[in-house]
Structures are given as C-alpha cells and as structure tokens.
Amino acid sequence: MVQNSPTFADVADTIFRMLDGNIWAGHNIKGFDNPRITEEFRAIGRVPPRPSGMIDTYHLLKRSFGKARAGNLRLNTLGKHFGLGDERHRALADVGLNIEVLKSCATVIFLEKNFASMFSLGRPEGGEKESPAEAGDAEKGEGKASAPAAAKGTEQKSKQPGVAEKTDAYAATSAIPMMSEKDKRKLLTAAMEQKKTVWIRYNGGTNPMQPRPIAPLGWKDHLVKATCKQSGSERHFREDRIVRIS
C-alpha cells in the first residue's frame, strides 16, 4: 500500500505548514499521534511543529462522558456504542467517525443535564390538583392560609411577573419523601415483568434527584440493572439511592 509512497522527509515541509501554529484535534492524540509526529521530525533532524491549541476527545470524554457507559472509550468502541460503525484506520474516515462520536456524546451529556427542564413530566398545566381532603381542610381553616392571606399572597406575586415559581420537580432532596424498600422493589419488579419504562429520582450521578426515565431489566443483589433512556446505555442503580418511582 505504501511501497511507492514518498518518504516522511519528502513531505515534511507540507506537514509542518499544515500543523504548526494551528489547533490540533483528534482522539487520544496526546498519547499516540503527537509523540509520533515529534519522533518523525526529530528523526530527520527537524524541529517538530507546535499547536496553538489542542482538543483531545479521549481526555475530554473521559472527564465528562465516563468509561462506565462505553467501556474503554476507544474510537472503535464508541463508534459501535452509537451505531456509527467500526474504526477503519484510514485518515479521513476516522476523522469523520471522530466528529460523529463527539457529537453523539455531546448530545447525551446535554440531554442528561437538561432533559427534566424540557418536559412537564406528564404533570397537568398549573401543577397538581388539590385533593378532596386538602380542599376540606382549607374550608375548615386547618393548617391552611386564610382567604385574606391567600389574596394578599396572590397580589404580591402579581407585582413580580418576572419571578418564576419552582415546581416540586426541583425540590430539595430532603423535601421528597422516601419510598419504602418494599414499594420500590414491587414497582421495579412489575416494570421488569411488563417491560415498561418508569421515572425515578436517584440520589447519585452527575444530576442527583433529577427525574430520569429507565427501563428496569433485572436484579443483582441490591442493584437494579436498567437501560437509561437518556443515554441508551445499560447501567446499575443502587436500590437504596432510588428515592421515588413514578
């Protein structure tokens, strides 16, 4: 394949002009490509090119995407994980795969951080309806604000049209009642048998307590094996850290 190709010394000037002073981007270039470039230039007695900036998608994804999702984070592994195909070890083809992998990982990270705020999570507009018991308590004045006080509160809110109210979807962990282990196991087991997706609040991960959809697959001691619908990857969730299921 390279029998009649020019030597590195023959193309060194062209490579130097392409690389020197520019931004270098690639997958694991800090550990593999950059040292090879330096070695080749020094082997012919030349000063190697220097980048003005560097984007190494391996180290970037290692910090933000994590190995737990897609194994060793090699380009070939990530390509298969996202259904983009195999690494071909051809320059232009692998550059294209690298770009698509980075776009796919960025999409997953974005959705995990913003998914809950993009949807109402099935709640009726205007919040949850008041239960009959709560309505009765309000009429009796038991533990509820009086009508004048409520009217005053409404009046104060109307003076601040730019202030948005937070729903209980973003309430603090301590404000969300913990389900019993028995109830959690019952709901998760039913979801496994019916192959249904459920929403959970999980006290862990990069966005603790944010609602996330999962499809439970099975049990491993006190770990729930499930498909995370946001990332499309299989993960294990500790049963004791699952706070609510809906």
Side-chain angles (χ1 to χ4, degrees):
M1 184 180 296
V2 297
Q3 184 176 2
N4 299 317
S5 298
T7 65
F8 184 79
D10 294 332
V11 296
D13 286 337
T14 301
I15 294 174
F16 187 90
R17 286 194 298 269
M18 291 173 60
L19 297 179
D20 193 54
N22 291 318
I23 296 174
W24 298 3
H27 198 73
N28 197 30
I29 58 175
K30 289 182 179 179
F32 183 78
D33 303 79
N34 294 10
R36 302 292 86 75
I37 292 170
T38 299
E39 288 173 7
E40 291 299 325
F41 272 93
R42 287 178 176 170
I44 61 173
R46 296 278 302 270
V47 176
R50 291 283 181 264
S52 61
M54 192 179 304
I55 302 172
D56 191 322
T57 52
Y58 172 77
H59 293 280
L60 176 66
L61 297 178
K62 187 177 179 181
R63 292 195 305 269
S64 57
F65 194 68
K67 286 189 173 184
R69 305 171 192 262
N72 54 28
L73 290 182
R74 291 178 179 172
L75 192 58
N76 193 53
T77 305
L78 289 164
K80 290 180 178 178
H81 177 73
F82 288 110
L84 299 171
D86 293 325
E87 185 179 11
R88 296 174 58 188
H89 296 287
R90 294 292 179 269
L92 289 178
D94 287 352
V95 166
L97 178 61
N98 198 165
I99 293 172
E100 293 305 315
V101 161
L102 183 60
K103 286 162 59 178
S104 297
C105 292
T107 300
V108 170
I109 294 168
F110 172 81
L111 287 175
E112 286 189 336
K113 290 183 178 180
N114 299 279
F115 192 82
S117 61
M118 293 165 62
F119 299 95
S120 64
L121 304 181
R123 292 187 181 279
E125 188 174 351
E128 292 182 337
K129 294 182 179 180
E130 188 178 45
S131 69
E134 289 173 334
D137 288 342
E139 291 177 2
K140 297 175 184 176
E142 295 179 0
K144 304 292 180 181
S146 63
K152 183 178 180 181
T154 304
E155 182 181 350
Q156 289 176 343
K157 288 180 184 177
S158 65
K159 295 177 182 179
Q160 305 178 55
V163 179
E165 293 183 85
K166 289 187 178 180
T167 67
D168 64 349
Y170 308 98
T173 305
S174 59
I176 301 175
M178 186 79 173
M179 293 182 71
S180 69
E181 298 298 316
K182 181 179 178 181
D183 288 341
K184 285 190 290 185
R185 186 163 282 261
K186 181 179 178 180
L187 289 172
L188 289 168
T189 300
M192 293 172 192
E193 293 173 350
Q194 299 170 24
K195 297 181 179 180
K196 291 177 58 178
T197 296
V198 294
W199 286 82
I200 66 170
R201 292 181 188 268
Y202 189 70
N203 191 13
T206 55
N207 294 291
M209 303 308 294
Q210 291 295 318
R212 67 178 78 186
I214 66 168
L217 301 173
W219 295 98
K220 184 179 179 181
D221 297 325
H222 290 284
L223 295 175
V224 182
K225 181 181 178 182
T227 299
C228 179
K229 291 297 186 176
Q230 293 174 355
S231 65
S233 60
E234 288 188 4
R235 301 179 61 183
H236 287 85
F237 298 89
R238 283 176 48 175
E239 184 182 5
D240 60 331
R241 288 193 177 184
I242 298 176
V243 179
R244 299 292 296 176
I245 303 171
S246 58

